Amino acid sequence: MGVALVGTFFGPPTHSATAHGPSTSVAAISTPSEELLRHAQFYAKDYNVTEVEALRRLGLMTAAEQYMTSMERTHPDRFAGAWIENTADTFAVHVRFTAGPEVLDPHTALVAVGLPIEATYTAETTLAKRIDLTNTANGEWIKALPEMVGLYPDVKSDDIVVVLSNGSRMTSAETEERLGLSNVRVEYAEGTVGDSNKGGLRMTSCTTGFTVINSSTLNKSVATAAHCADSFQQYTKWEPSDGVYHTMNFRGQVRDANADIAWYGTPAHEVRPRFYGAIRGGEGTEQTSWGAAGVGSHLCHQGKTTDYSCGDVTSVSYQPTYAGACPSTCNSSFVRVFGSNLKNLPGDSGGPWYRDSTIYGVHKGGQYNGSIPGQVAYYSKYLYLPTQQSLLTN
């Protein structure tokens, strides 16, 4: 009989164990609709809407994300940013372009189902140029501004947002002068910022996330955060709540300027294409697809310390600059999430970021203040996994 770990599942395909220990019966698989319902309850609380309205909006988010991505790819020389607006009264997509003739395809299919699309044509520069600027100048900016722990281009304006460490009182004007920039807006981090978050589900040094399969070898592996592991460490132990340890073999990692992801395999147990998100019982939720978030996407994560919580993406071009964030300097490749009800503490890194059964990324780190959960988190996009590692589905 196999043993199921929260986050990833092991064992022969006909039997499993729950989070409370072994079971001789076949456990039910949580459906995407069940996972979506729990997410809708969280969204409804965040924005003071009904669960019915929350379900409607969440059901449209994937289409909204794909639409924003298509605008960026179709008009790279004009695209300045896009985001999903979530308020109690409004649910809409906004797209910004540089000055010039209208280029927006209104996508009547989305508008017809209640997702308005609005465009403006007054941006000073494209998003691609601002990302190139931050990637190119980041090393010099870190030297000029040691208080900086992160930065990202604001898709809603032409600003570069500079995140300063807790306790800094440097103003936007002073930051502009120090960096030799204009259009700088300063945010201040709350408490500690870094990669000290390790967890999702219990493991000696980190957590289980999602499962992937190598298209060449057909080896199945479990993804986690690379900063939790040592690239020279050939094994680690995963600890479910029943106290059973499984030896895991290190297989590879992407620990560079763009991502913080590692993957492990186990020779003794079958790795299954399921994960625990909001639904903890039975065999968890099936993995179905990858997703690429946009600003305003509402996503959830699971961590062993803070459990389940959700928030809004504030940047898909976030660049951590705190010490040790990347082996050298990071690129604008990470995703930043904020939520008034989001929880983030040490013990959460490596855990899954997802919506329904769609996989978005691996928890990297965030902000927190002692034992008080932080409301800002960062994750690595799954698209930075090597091409031979693909999502394991049924």
Side-chain angles (χ1 to χ4, degrees), residues 19-365:
H20 302 291
S23 170
T24 57
S25 62
V26 178
I29 299 172
S30 298
T31 65
S33 60
E34 290 174 318
E35 194 72 48
L36 178 62
L37 178 60
R38 180 66 184 92
H39 189 165
Q41 293 168 348
F42 206 105
Y43 184 101
K45 179 180 178 182
D46 274 353
Y47 294 106
N48 194 28
V49 298
T50 66
E51 289 184 18
V52 171
E53 174 62 9
L55 283 167
R56 185 188 76 84
R57 295 183 182 190
L58 292 174
L60 290 170
M61 277 201 176
T62 299
E65 292 162 353
Q66 293 171 347
Y67 179 70
M68 292 188 295
T69 298
S70 72
M71 288 295 99
E72 182 173 10
R73 291 175 177 171
T74 306
H75 307 288
D77 58 336
R78 298 281 309 283
F79 182 84
W83 69 97
I84 302 169
E85 181 181 4
N86 298 282
T87 68
D89 302 319
T90 306
F91 179 60
V93 171
H94 298 266
V95 190
R96 297 177 67 240
F97 296 98
T98 55
E102 293 188 5
V103 295
L104 181 66
D105 172 5
H107 204 302
T108 55
L110 287 180
V111 175
V113 293
L115 182 57
I117 299 173
E118 301 179 7
T120 57
Y121 299 87
T122 57
E124 294 180 4
T125 187
T126 65
L127 180 61
K129 287 183 178 178
R130 287 190 291 152
I131 290 175
D132 285 344
L133 172 64
T134 57
N135 285 340
T136 302
N138 185 17
E140 293 303 315
W141 290 354
I142 291 173
K143 294 177 183 177
L145 193 64
E147 302 94 330
M148 183 172 64
V149 296
L151 72 160
Y152 62 96
D154 184 359
V155 298
K156 301 179 183 180
S157 70
D158 292 312
D159 292 342
I160 298 292
V161 179
V162 173
V163 184
L164 299 179
S165 60
N166 184 41
S168 175
R169 291 296 177 264
M170 188 171 293
T171 66
S172 295
E174 291 169 333
T175 303
E176 287 180 340
E177 182 177 359
R178 188 84 66 90
L179 300 182
L181 286 176
S182 58
N183 294 333
V184 167
R185 189 174 79 248
V186 164
E187 292 183 2
Y188 301 99
E190 295 183 4
T192 302
V193 180
D195 284 349
S196 58
N197 304 350
K198 296 182 180 179
L201 251 291
R202 302 191 183 281
M203 180 178 163
T204 52
S205 64
C206 206
T207 182
T208 58
F210 297 107
T211 54
V212 294
I213 186 169
N214 187 299
S215 58
S216 299
T217 65
L218 301 184
N219 286 331
K220 300 171 184 176
S221 302
V222 179
T224 184
H227 72 258
C228 303
D230 185 336
S231 61
F232 301 103
Q233 177 181 323
Q234 296 303 304
Y235 71 93
T236 189
K237 295 179 180 179
W238 301 68
E239 180 193 5
S241 58
D242 61 11
V244 177
Y245 287 78
H246 299 290
T247 299
M248 302 291 288
N249 297 325
F250 175 81
R251 284 182 172 160
Q253 66 178 7
V254 180
R255 179 78 165 127
D256 58 17
N258 295 314
D260 183 354
I261 307 174
W263 51 99
Y264 286 76
T266 172
H269 298 273
E270 176 74 7
V271 177
R272 299 181 183 177
R274 298 162 197 158
F275 67 96
Y276 278 137
I279 310 299
R280 285 283 191 140
E283 293 236 6
T285 301
E286 292 181 317
Q287 302 177 172
T288 61
S289 59
W290 299 120
V295 173
S297 293
H298 202 265
L299 303 179
C300 301
H301 84 116
Q302 176 66 257
K304 74 174 184 181
T305 304
T306 60
D307 198 22
Y308 171 84
S309 63
C310 310
D312 282 338
V313 171
T314 57
S315 176
V316 296
S317 307
Y318 188 71
Q319 193 173 86
T321 61
Y322 49 83
C326 294
S328 55
T329 56
C330 299
N331 287 334
S332 304
S333 303
F334 297 86
V335 179
R336 183 178 188 265
V337 187
F338 168 81
S340 58
N341 294 305
L342 181 65
K343 293 178 291 185
N344 173 74
L345 277 175
D348 290 343
S349 281
W353 278 93
Y354 64 96
R355 186 171 62 241
D356 313 335
S357 56
T358 300
I359 310 313
Y360 284 82
V362 171
H363 189 84
K364 174 176 173 60

